[in-house]
Amino acid sequence: QLEVICCAIIRPPRDGGIRYRGLTQEQIRSVQILPVDYEIEYICRGNRVIVGPKVRKCLPNGTWTDMTQHSRCCNLMKPTELHHPQKKKLYIGALFPMSGGWPGGQACMPSAQMALDLVNNRSDILPDYELELIHYDSMCDPGEATKLLYDLLYTEPIKIVLMPGCSGVSTLVAEAARMWNLIVLSYGSSSPALSNRQRFPTFFRTHPSATLHNPTRVQLFQKWKWTRIATIQQTTEVFTSTLDDLEQRVKEAGIEISVRQSFLTDPAVAVKNLKRQDARIIVGLFYETEARKVFCEVFKEKLYGKKYVWFLIGWYADNWFKIKDPAINCTVENMTEAVEGHVTTEIVMLNPETVRGVSNMTSQEFIAALMSRLGGKNPEETGGFQEAPLAYDAVWALALALNKTVAPLKAKGRRLEDFNYNNHDITSEIYRALNTSSFEGVSGQVVFDAQGSRMAMTLIEQLQGGSYKKIGYYDSSQKNLSWFGNDVWIGAGPPADRTVVIEEYRFLSQKLFAAVSVFAGLGILLGIVCLTFNIYNGNVRYIQNSQPYLNNMTAVGCMMALAAVFPLGIDGHHVLRPQFPVVCQFRLWLLGLGFSLAYGSMFTKIWWVHTLFTKKDEKKEKKKQHLEPWKLYATVGVLLAIDFLSLMIWQIVDPLHITVEKFTTEAPKEDLDVLIQPLLEHCSSEKMNTWLGVVYGYKGLLLLLGIFLAYETKSVSTEKINDHRAVGMAIYNVAVLCLITAPVTMILSSQQDASFAFASLAIVFSAYITLVVLFVPKVIQRSNVSLSARLGTKSSLCCTMHENHKLLKPHVVQSDSSVFDV
């Protein structure tokens, strides 16, 4: 303590002295009184400093200034005390998952601590405060996090900010934090649900939303020309909301999600369903521990290789598939084989450029410092190593935001240390500062969007030979894909997004068609010969008595039926698809009218023979029956008209068109990734079965009636229709063939060769039998007569035949006279 009297020499402090300004040592010794306004300065010896007023001034009233305050010399403070005098602590409550589905705290906690140390040593950031981390292991489990959150909130000291890790825990913490006016800053949460500002009003994250992966995935799907994908997810909110966003994006891009599978703990059934439904391009959304379970099942189901591509999340440890896991029963070799070639999309979490950010550290220097803190642990075996830069930048974002709030709070008469869970003003200032954050961190430019999510680029990697290789970057904000062109595929290139189904039409065997066509052509020639013979010999008696005009109709009908064989065998191999309906019309009309002419003319003969010559009155002489030709022609005309009208109505009401029958796909032996889809063209209509039922019913009744009439007239002998027995034989054969062939061809309609063979051969045989039975005996008889005429009339045989003819002629005229005997 100094005892001084104004204008008098004062005593210096202990271990100190007084500097008399403007006086020499000799003057100081002689002077006893100092003038008014004179100033003296206290000084201390050694490593000591003045505490109290350092300069005093002599006042007019004879006193010195600041006499109520004592000046003394004190020991010099330590250097740290000089730089950070009386720093106040601000506490951060952090939840680091050191185990569980994503053990990201293993690398993120040392990274955050490293950032805290650097921030606390900076004199330009929070100079009056010290940040301290209070952390627990959440095990990435929301249930465990609930208990830890309670401890953080209700245990001193007060935490100014909460820092959770994985998405499930962040969802719980962020939703509750609003009730305590707490800002939540996450370093490892990617759930899209956390972007909901109404539900999570105080939430920020340096880890971008998982939906940032989806634009990249869609871009890759389009690059590799995939329009069909499948998904499998773990049933948690983060993956469900990510998948909902992906579904919306692929829908807008015209891409189909054909299979969507989910599982809670055991993915076995979900993987089997993917295999069963032929999934090829598969997006997997699950945590690392579940990823090992999934790919163990993938190996068992052989859902990998050149036909499959898996898209996974990129934030797993680089050797995640090599880590021994008691929950699976697959070897490391099995897992390595199953995961080969998969593609990952990963947010760029480490700045690829060599730039010094706000922490005065490049990304490469950060990795080196982190490796040193980890004590040489293998990064591939350290959970969260990739996210460590995000945790580092999260601490810096928080520190810069708190530093930005000091001045506004001071203007309001508040301080950061005044924060409590009821203080909304301080929270609002911190929120405002974080929301406007923008700085260069070790993970790149740190900027938050309106929902509090980080904006960043996406890194695309592919597992090649057991290690991840960068194959490109995608900037979703600019829609710019930077492609390196070093992607590697197990097959010749990117696989197809589904089993390639090759449509292959089944055509008729050309050898069979040619063979049947030859027979049909010969049959038409035979019909022409028979028709020519019948017309040429129309004046011959026995030809006249066979009703030659009806026989001519039969020959023409047979030729039309034989001509129908050609359109029956014509398919897409011969004509274009637009021309095929015309072929169908030819089939129907040629066969329908040919049957009406050929069978109708024979049916007319047998009908009238039965009508005229089967009267059962044995006691009476047979009446003379008169058969007029027009009745025969009219009968054929009626049958022909019925067919014509029915076919015309069919074509007008329900015309024939092409239908394509699909068969079960077939796998060729040479390429297992291709399936053959056999197709067969048919002529059909909307009510095909109804029309066929009507036509087959009508024709079937005619055939059965024809058989009955032929049987009834088998013993009748008449020269009016002298070939009715031959007609009956033809009817038997035609009816049997038609009644058998019609149902068989309907059953075999899916087998083009068998169906054509049955139908065409039935037509050919029916026509041949009809022509041969009706015309060959006439040709033979005519040949015999001609031969006899050439040999001369003197032979006894010829005379005998001539006499017999004379004897028979009067008898016929007498007993069976009719208009045909004139």
Side-chain angles (χ1 to χ4, degrees), residues 31 79 91 146 188 270-271 287 298 394 417 426 455 547 561 636 640 661:
V31 173
Y91 297 93
T146 304
V271 173
Y287 285 117
V298 166
E417 62 266 30
I426 296 178
M455 294 184 288
Q547 302 301 319
V636 177
L640 193 61
E661 180 183 2

Side-chain angles (χ1 to χ4, degrees), residues 512-529 558-567 756 760-761 763-765 767-768 771:
L512 175 62
F513 180 50
V516 175
S517 297
V518 169
F519 281 106
L522 292 175
I524 292 173
L525 290 176
L526 177 60
I528 293 172
V529 170
C558 287
M559 287 189 288
M560 290 179 68
L562 288 168
V565 168
F566 297 104
F756 173 76
S760 59
L761 291 178
I763 294 171
V764 169
F765 286 148
Y768 268 85
L771 293 173

Side-chain angles (χ1 to χ4, degrees), residues 414-433:
R414 293 182 178 275
R415 300 171 300 173
L416 284 173
E417 62 266 30
D418 296 335
F419 175 79
N420 58 59
Y421 299 142
N422 297 315
N423 196 320
H424 181 70
D425 292 340
I426 296 178
T427 302
S428 297
E429 288 296 335
I430 299 174
Y431 176 91
R432 195 174 296 110

